[in-house]
Amino acid sequence: MPTPAQRVLDIEERGDVTVVRFCDRMIMDEQTIRLIGEQLMKLVDEQGKRNLALHFGHVEYLASLIVAKLVAVKKKLDSVGGKITFCHVDPQIYKIFEVSRLDKYFDVQRAEGSGDGS
């Protein structure tokens, strides 16, 4: 179980959707990425969550290492009839998904306008 100093995700239930917000603006280091992967898998495996919305509202940088974790979570959800959506994706982050063609693999919703990040 992560200590408060290791909290990398904020989790909120909205009906049957589990909204997951990233705590860090810069998702870069290996330990943070590992913790994100572990916490997302626990939502699916241990808590039975089937509909995840990953909220990228204030994420400014995303290391490519996280892609493998997100793909693993999507595969796990696909195997149990679940769904993962990326929402409030900043144009810069969206460009990363687009260039790597992950926008075709994941359901990626761009941030609209400047927005308030909610």
Side-chain angles (χ1 to χ4, degrees):
M1 182 62 95
T3 64
Q6 296 175 307
R7 194 181 73 163
V8 293
L9 302 174
D10 279 327
I11 298 163
E12 174 188 350
E13 299 299 326
R14 289 194 185 170
D16 67 341
V17 177
T18 302
V19 178
V20 180
R21 287 183 173 82
F22 296 96
C23 294
D24 297 328
R25 290 187 180 281
M26 311 288 266
I27 301 172
M28 298 172 35
D29 70 273
E30 206 170 316
Q31 180 180 358
T32 298
I33 291 168
R34 182 182 52 74
L35 286 171
I36 288 170
E38 288 173 2
Q39 289 181 25
L40 290 173
M41 283 299 202
K42 283 181 183 179
L43 286 173
V44 178
D45 287 338
E46 295 176 14
Q47 297 181 30
K49 305 302 179 189
R50 294 296 178 257
N51 195 355
L52 301 183
L54 303 189
H55 191 294
F56 285 81
H58 74 272
V59 175
E60 296 173 359
Y61 181 82
L62 201 59
S64 59
L65 283 173
I66 192 141
V67 171
K69 302 294 183 189
L70 297 175
V71 167
V73 172
K74 182 180 186 323
K75 285 181 179 178
K76 174 64 80 171
L77 281 165
D78 286 350
S79 75
V80 296
K83 180 179 179 188
I84 188 169
T85 304
F86 298 173
C87 58
H88 298 277
V89 177
D90 179 88
Q92 278 185 277
I93 302 295
Y94 184 84
K95 186 82 104 181
I96 294 167
F97 292 132
E98 194 173 42
V99 167
S100 61
R101 303 183 68 79
L102 289 171
D103 63 322
K104 307 291 186 235
Y105 184 68
F106 290 103
D107 180 5
V108 182
Q109 309 296 317
R110 295 187 224 198
E112 295 179 18
S114 58
D116 64 357
S118 64

